[in-house]
Amino acid sequence: DIISLTDFPDPGTSIENGSIEQGESKFSLYYSLSLPSKFSLMEAPIAKQIPTSREIHGVTLEDDYAWLKEKENPEVLAYLNAENAYKDFKTAHTKDFQDTLYQEMLSKIKEDDQSVPYQKGNYWYYTRTEVGKAYAIHCRKYGSIEAPEEILIDENELAEGKDFFDLGDLEISPDECWMAYTIDIKGDEKYALYVTDLRSGTVVKEEVEAISPDVEWCNDNRTLYYTMLDEATHRPYRLYRYVVGSGKIQEPFFEEPDDAFYLNLYKTKDEKYFFLYVGSNITTELHIFSADNPTAELNLFQERRNGIEFVAEHHQGNIYILTNENALNFKLMRTQLDQPDREKWEEVIPHDPRVMIDTIDVFKEYLVIYLRREGLKSIHVRPLNGRSPFDIPFEEAVYTVSHSTNIEFDSKVLRFRYSSLTIPSSVYDYDLDTGERELLKRQPVLGGYNPSDYQSERIYATAWDGAKIPVSIVYRKDLRQNSPQALYLYAYGSYGITIEPAFSSARLSLIDRGMIFAFAHIRGGGALGRKWYEDGKFLNKKNSFADFIACAEHLIQKGLTSPEHLAIAGGSAGGMLMGAVVNYRPELFKVVEAHVPFVDVINTMLDPTLPLTVPEYDEWGNPEEKAFFDYLRSYSPYDNVEAKDYPDMLITAGLNDPRVHYWEPAKWCAKLRRLKTDKNILLLKTNMGAGHQGASGRYGRLKEAAFDYSFLLDRLGLIKEE
């Protein structure tokens, strides 16, 4: 039974966790917040409407919820708190089940674990975790892995008492005596710099804040390089040198004025040079300077040319360049360091329209190239000693592979990471001379996990224009039904990013309850190469939405699931995908989870003062141009909410999110509440102490996963007495 709180507390009253009684019945309260009396936990919060409008391209844009952008407005915080309270109230009946899921997920991970050590210089480095501690402990040992342990950083100590914590970077100086690291304690992705003298243990918080996470050491062992964030656009735009302990922030020695471009500093693997990339989403410029000289001047190696991208690596006086110039899927070129002119470049690996070159790694005697063929990653090796090139073979039909820690330039061993939908993350050492492969570690899954109990497959859906869309699926063999069953379909579909078919032990809590888990590798992502990406961006963006719908329809037509059994999810740009497809085909889905969704597309892209807006013109288009305005407006989820039935929905946000500001999901939820005609549940969950990535720490992430999974299992009717 549900009882009504008729005498609701006055504004500002705090309700602590506890219980209330009525007769012989006892009811638990699972919330603690301050809430204005006009909001009732029994009813969905209704945000007030303050009509605003503006005209662009002859079109009047109306926005009743623009006021929710006022982060310091007490009414905004009251509304977000009210939504959180309503979320807690509507999910209170799943609280015990959330705890069950959390404990279940926790029981599958080895809490006291250690990474595979790697050698750099005189030390072996690794991280480890301890039971009951949410964060990693960073350690090293001198000379061998049997030597006494030296703790560099215990993240748990740094995170104590903080709602959010993220260690952005940790870099040891070349003489192994200093450690620089960066910390974010709000989730707003603004980092502060700290330096530790490893000989004395003295920690100094340098007067450097609001920087990007990455730092690099000059080879003089006293000078650090970092990039400062532009306060308005949140992009790394200035490069600084900083002498440790000087207390003096030097003037920037490089600044990028164009809001569409950002800086990325990289130290070459042989540690001889710094490469300063100045890039937008589609254009790259490269400056090179010595890593030995703290006063070295920048040398322009390649100036920016619109639409030309590249990454480079130094190798014994040569520069290897991976570029898309006249090569949609990229090609590998080579030139000498002192001969940057493109007419002097020679081709190493030509362009192949069927194969995407993702990235390269260099060793003294080998080039290692990571490719993507037919949606699957592979490793191609090019010996530099005259031997024939070869591929490292993999056997599963659905898998992913990526580089691991390969620090030493003069090494003949490649370390890579392998995973699939059924095989946990596995670290291998591969001898590039002999071809011998050694499994160093496979992430343990406690509780008797047996990969042979599960089946992964890759199937293909057909898009409206005949394109074949890969769908990776995994299920438990003994729970596979001949009739439609619950299915979780996830996708992203933007920026050329591929959601890799990798293993997740937390996912077993769904699969072991009879769900099929599926990834839709839709256009806009990079699964099938650069053209696959190009066909899902700009004025082709609707292909992403149509592809996802085609995948859902295909899974239904094959009898794997039905609209009553289908749950879908996506985050960030994938959250925009969720918003678009529920506007187009709401009847196709039972339950939707949209995490930090980019849904207020028109208003955000029309505001160049917001972080990331200007660089995003290269992904979505600039709505100041009418063609892009009309196209964006035609699919922007917030602008296309209608008076019709929508599925059960969970929307999440982060109050400190600098990428998708909290007001986008909040405004979308408010508009959906006002217009939707169904009685299905709609929840907004705002993390009031974090940003785009949600809760920090492994336990916080598991608790969020337990909540998310409990919501969809509840709406699918799969919560049973356990």
Side-chain angles (χ1 to χ4, degrees):
D1 293 333
I2 298 177
I3 64 170
S4 176
L5 296 177
T6 54
D7 296 320
F8 199 74
D10 292 331
T13 299
S14 180
I15 306 172
E16 301 297 334
N17 293 338
S19 63
I20 54 178
E21 297 184 3
Q22 184 183 48
E24 297 180 355
S25 300
K26 187 173 183 179
F27 302 84
S28 295
L29 301 177
Y30 297 108
Y31 49 87
S32 176
L33 67 153
S34 295
L35 202 61
S37 58
K38 66 180 179 179
F39 292 120
S40 167
L41 292 179
M42 306 301 165
E43 301 172 357
I46 302 299
K48 69 179 180 181
Q49 295 174 244
I50 302 178
T52 61
S53 64
R54 59 175 165 172
E55 186 170 310
I56 180 170
H57 299 305
V59 175
T60 300
L61 293 178
E62 298 181 349
D63 187 358
D64 291 341
Y65 300 106
W67 68 276
L68 287 172
K69 294 175 63 174
E70 302 166 11
K71 187 175 181 179
E72 305 305 319
N73 183 342
E75 289 191 74
V76 172
L77 296 179
Y79 171 69
L80 297 177
N81 281 327
E83 286 283 5
N84 279 340
Y86 179 70
K87 173 263 300 178
D88 287 343
F89 176 74
K90 297 297 286 186
T91 58
H93 65 287
T94 69
K95 183 66 167 60
D96 289 343
F97 185 65
Q98 292 175 44
D99 293 339
T100 296
L101 285 179
Y102 172 72
Q103 294 299 331
E104 184 176 290
M105 294 174 186
L106 185 60
S107 71
K108 289 182 172 64
I109 68 172
K110 182 174 170 51
E111 292 188 73
D112 54 339
D113 203 2
Q114 180 177 306
S115 67
V116 178
Y118 66 89
Q119 186 175 14
K120 183 178 182 182
N122 294 308
Y123 287 87
W124 289 84
Y125 292 87
Y126 59 95
T127 61
R128 59 180 177 85
T129 53
E130 295 182 355
V131 176
K133 294 185 177 181
Y135 297 91
I137 301 169
H138 300 255
C139 311
R140 70 178 182 178
K141 293 183 178 182
Y142 183 81
S144 74
I145 56 176
E146 286 79 28
E149 179 180 87
E150 175 187 355
I151 294 179
L152 298 170
I153 282 183
D154 185 340
E155 292 186 37
N156 301 283
E157 294 179 359
L158 299 178
E160 187 173 355
K162 299 177 176 63
D163 293 334
F164 180 91
F165 175 83
D166 181 56
L167 179 68
D169 195 9
L170 187 160
E171 294 292 337
I172 305 297
S173 61
D175 65 1
E176 303 173 329
C177 294
W178 298 87
M179 174 176 65
Y181 58 99
T182 56
I183 290 175
D184 170 18
I185 59 172
K186 294 182 180 179
D188 59 3
E189 301 179 33
K190 296 178 181 178
Y191 291 80
L193 174 65
Y194 294 77
V195 177
T196 298
D197 184 339
L198 295 173
R199 295 159 295 189
S200 65
T202 303
V203 180
V204 178
K205 182 182 183 300
E206 305 292 345
E207 296 300 318
V208 176
E209 295 185 345
I211 65 173
S212 60
D214 300 324
V215 294
E216 293 284 1
W217 283 99
C218 177
N219 290 341
D220 72 343
N221 301 302
R222 291 300 304 275
T223 304
L224 277 169
Y225 297 90
Y226 64 88
T227 53
M228 181 70 71
L229 297 176
D230 185 334
E231 184 176 352
T233 63
H234 206 275
R235 66 186 175 95
Y237 80 121
R238 285 178 176 172
L239 177 65
Y240 283 83
R241 293 187 182 100
Y242 181 75
V243 179
V244 172
S246 68
K248 297 179 181 179
I249 302 176
Q250 300 181 11
E251 291 296 316
F253 72 102
F254 186 90
E255 179 173 338
E256 173 52 50
D258 191 330
D259 287 347
F261 285 77
Y262 45 89
L263 308 184
N264 182 25
L265 185 66
Y266 168 72
K267 196 174 189 179
T268 59
K269 191 170 181 176
D270 59 13
E271 299 192 336
K272 292 183 177 181
Y273 296 97
F274 287 115
F275 284 5
L276 178 65
Y277 292 100
V278 187
S280 70
N281 286 344
I282 61 170
T283 303
T284 311
E285 178 173 290
L286 176 60
H287 300 258
I288 299 177
F289 61 102
S290 171
D292 294 325
N293 181 2
T295 61
E297 296 296 323
L298 292 170
N299 294 303
L300 178 62
F301 181 78
Q302 281 296 305
E303 64 183 1
R304 69 193 70 177
R305 291 177 295 137
N306 188 52
I308 303 302
E309 303 170 58
F310 56 86
V311 293
E313 182 57 86
H314 177 254
H315 184 276
Q316 297 183 324
N318 291 318
I319 301 292
Y320 283 91
I321 308 135
L322 188 62
T323 179
N324 70 337
E325 185 173 10
N326 300 317
L328 187 62
N329 277 340
F330 288 78
K331 61 186 176 183
L332 184 63
M333 309 292 287
R334 178 177 59 205
T335 189
Q336 294 181 19
L337 179 63
D338 58 357
Q339 295 183 344
D341 295 339
R342 291 192 305 282
E343 57 268 19
K344 296 180 180 179
W345 294 9
E346 59 179 326
E347 190 174 79
V348 178
I349 299 179
H351 174 253
D352 186 336
R354 301 163 300 174
V355 179
M356 175 77 177
I357 306 179
D358 276 347
T359 187
I360 61 171
D361 196 0
V362 296
F363 295 84
K364 185 177 180 179
E365 296 182 11
Y366 293 92
L367 293 179
V368 177
I369 301 99
Y370 293 86
L371 309 174
R372 192 179 294 276
R373 293 188 179 99
E374 297 180 351
L376 293 175
K377 297 185 75 172
S378 61
I379 302 177
H380 178 71
V381 180
R382 290 262 174 153
L384 299 175
N385 56 8
R387 288 174 52 203
S388 299
F390 60 91
D391 291 338
I392 298 177
F394 302 102
E395 297 179 356
E396 285 190 275
V398 182
Y399 68 89
T400 185
V401 64
S402 62
H403 60 85
S404 185
T405 308
N406 293 285
I407 298 294
E408 298 294 337
F409 176 71
D410 191 4
S411 174
K412 297 180 180 180
V413 176
L414 170 69
R415 181 167 293 180
F416 64 84
R417 192 176 298 272
Y418 177 92
S419 179
S420 74
L421 292 174
T422 60
I423 301 297
S425 179
S426 307
V427 179
Y428 287 89
D429 270 357
Y430 184 91
D431 190 309
L432 295 168
D433 277 352
T434 67
E436 294 181 2
R437 185 182 325 203
E438 179 185 3
L439 176 62
L440 302 178
K441 179 180 180 179
R442 176 159 290 162
Q443 192 64 38
V445 181
L446 306 184
Y449 173 73
N450 185 353
S452 64
D453 292 339
Y454 302 83
Q455 179 69 43
S456 66
E457 300 176 16
R458 175 154 287 183
I459 60 177
Y460 292 85
T462 302
W464 67 272
D465 58 353
K468 299 298 182 181
I469 311 152
V471 183
S472 301
I473 67 173
V474 60
Y475 53 87
R476 189 163 136 171
K477 294 176 183 177
D478 63 339
L479 297 179
R480 180 71 182 92
Q481 302 173 14
N482 293 323
S483 58
Q485 64 191 91
L487 189 145
Y488 185 110
L489 181 61
Y490 187 91
Y492 186 74
S494 293
Y495 302 102
I497 294 172
T498 301
I499 302 299
E500 303 291 353
F503 182 83
S504 164
S505 62
R507 194 183 299 145
L508 296 175
S509 290
L510 297 179
I511 299 173
D512 287 347
R513 286 176 170 81
M515 290 195 75
I516 298 171
F517 203 99
F519 293 106
H521 304 290
I522 59 178
R523 282 177 285 189
L528 296 182
R530 191 56 178 254
K531 188 175 188 302
W532 198 250
Y533 167 43
E534 300 285 351
D535 286 348
K537 67 179 294 192
F538 286 147
L539 300 178
N540 294 320
K541 187 62 208 170
K542 290 182 183 179
N543 281 337
S544 300
F545 315 142
D547 286 359
F548 187 86
I549 290 170
C551 290
E553 290 177 329
H554 182 71
L555 293 166
I556 292 169
Q557 290 165 3
K558 283 182 65 69
L560 293 170
T561 191
S562 70
E564 293 74 26
H565 295 86
L566 182 54
I568 63 172
S572 195
M576 177 185 70
L577 170 71
M578 296 298 102
V581 299
V582 296
N583 279 338
Y584 289 132
R585 295 289 303 279
E587 79 286 353
L588 202 57
F589 317 108
K590 171 61 180 173
V591 56
V592 181
E593 291 189 350
H595 299 289
V596 289
F598 173 41
V599 285
D600 192 13
V601 180
I602 281 290
N603 289 313
T604 293
M605 296 306 295
L606 281 171
D607 188 349
T609 68
L610 291 175
L612 305 181
T613 290
V614 174
E616 296 295 274
Y617 293 157
D618 289 336
E619 179 71 20
W620 315 106
N622 185 347
E624 293 293 344
E625 300 177 29
K626 190 174 186 308
F628 282 120
F629 172 82
D630 290 340
Y631 193 75
L632 290 168
R633 185 166 174 261
S634 71
Y635 71 74
S636 173
Y638 177 66
D639 295 281
N640 287 279
V641 173
E642 297 177 327
K644 60 186 178 185
D645 288 358
Y646 283 87
D648 293 316
M649 296 179 66
L650 169 64
I651 302 168
T652 69
L655 187 64
N656 299 326
D657 191 341
R659 296 175 182 267
V660 177
H661 292 275
Y662 73 88
W663 62 73
E664 294 204 32
K667 290 170 61 177
W668 184 41
C669 178
K671 191 170 184 179
L672 280 165
R673 284 211 192 285
R674 189 180 90 232
L675 293 179
K676 74 189 193 81
T677 55
D678 59 87
K679 295 184 179 180
N680 294 325
I681 191 169
L682 170 62
L683 300 180
L684 173 65
K685 176 178 178 282
T686 303
N687 192 323
M688 305 299 282
H692 198 63
Q693 304 303 325
S696 62
R698 54 181 177 163
Y699 300 127
R701 287 190 289 270
L702 283 181
K703 287 178 180 177
E704 285 197 342
F707 178 85
D708 296 342
Y709 286 1
S710 70
F711 176 79
L712 68 89
L713 287 169
D714 177 51
R715 305 321 297 170
L716 291 170
L718 294 180
I719 296 182
K720 300 177 182 179
E721 294 294 331
E722 302 188 9

PDB file of all heavy atoms in Angstrom, residues 341-359:
ATOM      1  N   ASP A 341      58.388  18.463 -46.014  1.00  0.00           N
ATOM      2  CA  ASP A 341      57.630  18.732 -47.229  1.00  0.00           C
ATOM      3  C   ASP A 341      56.949  17.461 -47.725  1.00  0.00           C
ATOM      4  O   ASP A 341      57.601  16.413 -47.879  1.00  0.00           O
ATOM      5  CB  ASP A 341      58.542  19.274 -48.329  1.00  0.00           C
ATOM      6  CG  ASP A 341      59.136  20.623 -47.969  1.00  0.00           C
ATOM      7  OD1 ASP A 341      58.559  21.302 -47.094  1.00  0.00           O
ATOM      8  OD2 ASP A 341      60.189  20.978 -48.532  1.00  0.00           O
ATOM      9  N   ARG A 342      55.670  17.550 -48.030  1.00  0.00           N
ATOM     10  CA  ARG A 342      54.886  16.358 -48.352  1.00  0.00           C
ATOM     11  C   ARG A 342      55.357  15.671 -49.631  1.00  0.00           C
ATOM     12  O   ARG A 342      55.195  14.456 -49.776  1.00  0.00           O
ATOM     13  CB  ARG A 342      53.398  16.716 -48.460  1.00  0.00           C
ATOM     14  CG  ARG A 342      52.776  17.096 -47.119  1.00  0.00           C
ATOM     15  CD  ARG A 342      51.269  17.149 -47.216  1.00  0.00           C
ATOM     16  NE  ARG A 342      50.803  18.032 -48.265  1.00  0.00           N
ATOM     17  CZ  ARG A 342      50.754  19.361 -48.173  1.00  0.00           C
ATOM     18  NH1 ARG A 342      51.168  19.960 -47.077  1.00  0.00           N
ATOM     19  NH2 ARG A 342      50.299  20.081 -49.166  1.00  0.00           N
ATOM     20  N   GLU A 343      55.931  16.429 -50.543  1.00  0.00           N
ATOM     21  CA  GLU A 343      56.398  15.782 -51.777  1.00  0.00           C
ATOM     22  C   GLU A 343      57.580  14.845 -51.514  1.00  0.00           C
ATOM     23  O   GLU A 343      57.924  14.022 -52.374  1.00  0.00           O
ATOM     24  CB  GLU A 343      56.783  16.836 -52.824  1.00  0.00           C
ATOM     25  CG  GLU A 343      57.841  17.813 -52.361  1.00  0.00           C
ATOM     26  CD  GLU A 343      57.264  19.067 -51.728  1.00  0.00           C
ATOM     27  OE1 GLU A 343      56.085  19.031 -51.313  1.00  0.00           O
ATOM     28  OE2 GLU A 343      57.996  20.075 -51.669  1.00  0.00           O
ATOM     29  N   LYS A 344      58.157  14.923 -50.326  1.00  0.00           N
ATOM     30  CA  LYS A 344      59.273  14.043 -49.980  1.00  0.00           C
ATOM     31  C   LYS A 344      58.826  12.832 -49.160  1.00  0.00           C
ATOM     32  O   LYS A 344      59.645  11.997 -48.803  1.00  0.00           O
ATOM     33  CB  LYS A 344      60.346  14.824 -49.223  1.00  0.00           C
ATOM     34  CG  LYS A 344      60.980  15.929 -50.057  1.00  0.00           C
ATOM     35  CD  LYS A 344      62.044  16.689 -49.275  1.00  0.00           C
ATOM     36  CE  LYS A 344      62.666  17.784 -50.151  1.00  0.00           C
ATOM     37  NZ  LYS A 344      63.691  18.555 -49.405  1.00  0.00           N
ATOM     38  N   TRP A 345      57.557  12.746 -48.878  1.00  0.00           N
ATOM     39  CA  TRP A 345      57.052  11.608 -48.120  1.00  0.00           C
ATOM     40  C   TRP A 345      57.002  10.366 -49.013  1.00  0.00           C
ATOM     41  O   TRP A 345      56.705  10.448 -50.211  1.00  0.00           O
ATOM     42  CB  TRP A 345      55.652  11.885 -47.595  1.00  0.00           C
ATOM     43  CG  TRP A 345      55.571  12.987 -46.568  1.00  0.00           C
ATOM     44  CD1 TRP A 345      56.564  13.858 -46.201  1.00  0.00           C
ATOM     45  CD2 TRP A 345      54.422  13.353 -45.815  1.00  0.00           C
ATOM     46  NE1 TRP A 345      56.103  14.735 -45.254  1.00  0.00           N
ATOM     47  CE2 TRP A 345      54.788  14.450 -44.988  1.00  0.00           C
ATOM     48  CE3 TRP A 345      53.125  12.860 -45.738  1.00  0.00           C
ATOM     49  CZ2 TRP A 345      53.892  15.051 -44.114  1.00  0.00           C
ATOM     50  CZ3 TRP A 345      52.231  13.461 -44.861  1.00  0.00           C
ATOM     51  CH2 TRP A 345      52.614  14.545 -44.055  1.00  0.00           C
ATOM     52  N   GLU A 346      57.278   9.211 -48.417  1.00  0.00           N
ATOM     53  CA  GLU A 346      57.145   7.948 -49.139  1.00  0.00           C
ATOM     54  C   GLU A 346      56.070   7.086 -48.481  1.00  0.00           C
ATOM     55  O   GLU A 346      55.879   7.123 -47.266  1.00  0.00           O
ATOM     56  CB  GLU A 346      58.474   7.199 -49.184  1.00  0.00           C
ATOM     57  CG  GLU A 346      59.055   6.873 -47.832  1.00  0.00           C
ATOM     58  CD  GLU A 346      60.364   6.110 -47.952  1.00  0.00           C
ATOM     59  OE1 GLU A 346      60.501   5.317 -48.903  1.00  0.00           O
ATOM     60  OE2 GLU A 346      61.243   6.299 -47.085  1.00  0.00           O
ATOM     61  N   GLU A 347      55.393   6.312 -49.292  1.00  0.00           N
ATOM     62  CA  GLU A 347      54.293   5.495 -48.812  1.00  0.00           C
ATOM     63  C   GLU A 347      54.811   4.185 -48.229  1.00  0.00           C
ATOM     64  O   GLU A 347      55.617   3.491 -48.844  1.00  0.00           O
ATOM     65  CB  GLU A 347      53.320   5.213 -49.957  1.00  0.00           C
ATOM     66  CG  GLU A 347      52.018   4.571 -49.536  1.00  0.00           C
ATOM     67  CD  GLU A 347      51.056   4.460 -50.701  1.00  0.00           C
ATOM     68  OE1 GLU A 347      51.238   3.534 -51.519  1.00  0.00           O
ATOM     69  OE2 GLU A 347      50.147   5.298 -50.803  1.00  0.00           O
ATOM     70  N   VAL A 348      54.332   3.860 -47.020  1.00  0.00           N
ATOM     71  CA  VAL A 348      54.698   2.608 -46.355  1.00  0.00           C
ATOM     72  C   VAL A 348      53.555   1.599 -46.463  1.00  0.00           C
ATOM     73  O   VAL A 348      53.763   0.451 -46.844  1.00  0.00           O
ATOM     74  CB  VAL A 348      55.059   2.853 -44.878  1.00  0.00           C
ATOM     75  CG1 VAL A 348      55.405   1.538 -44.173  1.00  0.00           C
ATOM     76  CG2 VAL A 348      56.218   3.833 -44.764  1.00  0.00           C
ATOM     77  N   ILE A 349      52.341   2.036 -46.137  1.00  0.00           N
ATOM     78  CA  ILE A 349      51.145   1.205 -46.283  1.00  0.00           C
ATOM     79  C   ILE A 349      50.114   2.019 -47.048  1.00  0.00           C
ATOM     80  O   ILE A 349      49.677   3.072 -46.582  1.00  0.00           O
ATOM     81  CB  ILE A 349      50.579   0.777 -44.916  1.00  0.00           C
ATOM     82  CG1 ILE A 349      51.610  -0.045 -44.141  1.00  0.00           C
ATOM     83  CG2 ILE A 349      49.296  -0.032 -45.101  1.00  0.00           C
ATOM     84  CD1 ILE A 349      51.133  -0.488 -42.772  1.00  0.00           C
ATOM     85  N   PRO A 350      49.710   1.563 -48.224  1.00  0.00           N
ATOM     86  CA  PRO A 350      48.755   2.343 -49.028  1.00  0.00           C
ATOM     87  C   PRO A 350      47.350   2.294 -48.443  1.00  0.00           C
ATOM     88  O   PRO A 350      47.030   1.456 -47.599  1.00  0.00           O
ATOM     89  CB  PRO A 350      48.812   1.659 -50.390  1.00  0.00           C
ATOM     90  CG  PRO A 350      49.208   0.246 -50.077  1.00  0.00           C
ATOM     91  CD  PRO A 350      50.130   0.326 -48.898  1.00  0.00           C
ATOM     92  N   HIS A 351      46.531   3.176 -48.931  1.00  0.00           N
ATOM     93  CA  HIS A 351      45.128   3.207 -48.518  1.00  0.00           C
ATOM     94  C   HIS A 351      44.409   1.966 -49.028  1.00  0.00           C
ATOM     95  O   HIS A 351      44.632   1.503 -50.143  1.00  0.00           O
ATOM     96  CB  HIS A 351      44.448   4.453 -49.079  1.00  0.00           C
ATOM     97  CG  HIS A 351      42.979   4.496 -48.823  1.00  0.00           C
ATOM     98  ND1 HIS A 351      42.043   4.280 -49.819  1.00  0.00           N
ATOM     99  CD2 HIS A 351      42.275   4.709 -47.688  1.00  0.00           C
ATOM    100  CE1 HIS A 351      40.826   4.378 -49.308  1.00  0.00           C
ATOM    101  NE2 HIS A 351      40.942   4.636 -48.013  1.00  0.00           N
ATOM    102  N   ASP A 352      43.533   1.432 -48.158  1.00  0.00           N
ATOM    103  CA  ASP A 352      42.704   0.290 -48.525  1.00  0.00           C
ATOM    104  C   ASP A 352      41.264   0.633 -48.140  1.00  0.00           C
ATOM    105  O   ASP A 352      40.969   0.821 -46.959  1.00  0.00           O
ATOM    106  CB  ASP A 352      43.159  -0.966 -47.778  1.00  0.00           C
ATOM    107  CG  ASP A 352      42.430  -2.227 -48.239  1.00  0.00           C
ATOM    108  OD1 ASP A 352      41.306  -2.115 -48.771  1.00  0.00           O
ATOM    109  OD2 ASP A 352      42.978  -3.332 -48.049  1.00  0.00           O
ATOM    110  N   PRO A 353      40.354   0.742 -49.107  1.00  0.00           N
ATOM    111  CA  PRO A 353      38.972   1.117 -48.774  1.00  0.00           C
ATOM    112  C   PRO A 353      38.254   0.085 -47.906  1.00  0.00           C
ATOM    113  O   PRO A 353      37.213   0.378 -47.330  1.00  0.00           O
ATOM    114  CB  PRO A 353      38.306   1.241 -50.151  1.00  0.00           C
ATOM    115  CG  PRO A 353      39.154   0.428 -51.072  1.00  0.00           C
ATOM    116  CD  PRO A 353      40.546   0.533 -50.550  1.00  0.00           C
ATOM    117  N   ARG A 354      38.830  -1.116 -47.772  1.00  0.00           N
ATOM    118  CA  ARG A 354      38.200  -2.167 -46.969  1.00  0.00           C
ATOM    119  C   ARG A 354      38.784  -2.256 -45.564  1.00  0.00           C
ATOM    120  O   ARG A 354      38.249  -2.972 -44.718  1.00  0.00           O
ATOM    121  CB  ARG A 354      38.356  -3.518 -47.656  1.00  0.00           C
ATOM    122  CG  ARG A 354      37.754  -3.606 -49.060  1.00  0.00           C
ATOM    123  CD  ARG A 354      38.305  -4.809 -49.791  1.00  0.00           C
ATOM    124  NE  ARG A 354      39.764  -4.716 -49.906  1.00  0.00           N
ATOM    125  CZ  ARG A 354      40.535  -5.680 -50.393  1.00  0.00           C
ATOM    126  NH1 ARG A 354      39.980  -6.818 -50.797  1.00  0.00           N
ATOM    127  NH2 ARG A 354      41.843  -5.526 -50.464  1.00  0.00           N
ATOM    128  N   VAL A 355      39.896  -1.544 -45.330  1.00  0.00           N
ATOM    129  CA  VAL A 355      40.609  -1.678 -44.053  1.00  0.00           C
ATOM    130  C   VAL A 355      40.900  -0.296 -43.482  1.00  0.00           C
ATOM    131  O   VAL A 355      41.498   0.547 -44.154  1.00  0.00           O
ATOM    132  CB  VAL A 355      41.930  -2.458 -44.224  1.00  0.00           C
ATOM    133  CG1 VAL A 355      42.656  -2.564 -42.889  1.00  0.00           C
ATOM    134  CG2 VAL A 355      41.659  -3.840 -44.809  1.00  0.00           C
ATOM    135  N   MET A 356      40.490  -0.074 -42.237  1.00  0.00           N
ATOM    136  CA  MET A 356      40.758   1.173 -41.534  1.00  0.00           C
ATOM    137  C   MET A 356      42.013   1.011 -40.687  1.00  0.00           C
ATOM    138  O   MET A 356      42.148   0.050 -39.932  1.00  0.00           O
ATOM    139  CB  MET A 356      39.575   1.519 -40.627  1.00  0.00           C
ATOM    140  CG  MET A 356      39.785   2.734 -39.752  1.00  0.00           C
ATOM    141  SD  MET A 356      39.608   4.276 -40.682  1.00  0.00           S
ATOM    142  CE  MET A 356      39.833   5.467 -39.351  1.00  0.00           C
ATOM    143  N   ILE A 357      42.969   1.947 -40.822  1.00  0.00           N
ATOM    144  CA  ILE A 357      44.144   1.955 -39.952  1.00  0.00           C
ATOM    145  C   ILE A 357      43.817   2.846 -38.756  1.00  0.00           C
ATOM    146  O   ILE A 357      43.647   4.053 -38.894  1.00  0.00           O
ATOM    147  CB  ILE A 357      45.393   2.466 -40.680  1.00  0.00           C
ATOM    148  CG1 ILE A 357      45.636   1.671 -41.971  1.00  0.00           C
ATOM    149  CG2 ILE A 357      46.599   2.376 -39.765  1.00  0.00           C
ATOM    150  CD1 ILE A 357      46.846   2.151 -42.765  1.00  0.00           C
ATOM    151  N   ASP A 358      43.742   2.243 -37.578  1.00  0.00           N
ATOM    152  CA  ASP A 358      43.362   2.990 -36.382  1.00  0.00           C
ATOM    153  C   ASP A 358      44.529   3.769 -35.794  1.00  0.00           C
ATOM    154  O   ASP A 358      44.424   4.958 -35.519  1.00  0.00           O
ATOM    155  CB  ASP A 358      42.799   2.045 -35.318  1.00  0.00           C
ATOM    156  CG  ASP A 358      41.321   1.758 -35.525  1.00  0.00           C
ATOM    157  OD1 ASP A 358      40.696   2.469 -36.334  1.00  0.00           O
ATOM    158  OD2 ASP A 358      40.787   0.839 -34.888  1.00  0.00           O
ATOM    159  N   THR A 359      45.638   3.075 -35.542  1.00  0.00           N
ATOM    160  CA  THR A 359      46.774   3.732 -34.907  1.00  0.00           C
ATOM    161  C   THR A 359      48.025   2.894 -35.134  1.00  0.00           C
ATOM    162  O   THR A 359      47.957   1.773 -35.647  1.00  0.00           O
ATOM    163  CB  THR A 359      46.520   3.918 -33.394  1.00  0.00           C
ATOM    164  OG1 THR A 359      47.557   4.702 -32.822  1.00  0.00           O
ATOM    165  CG2 THR A 359      46.474   2.580 -32.680  1.00  0.00           C
TER     166      THR A 359
END
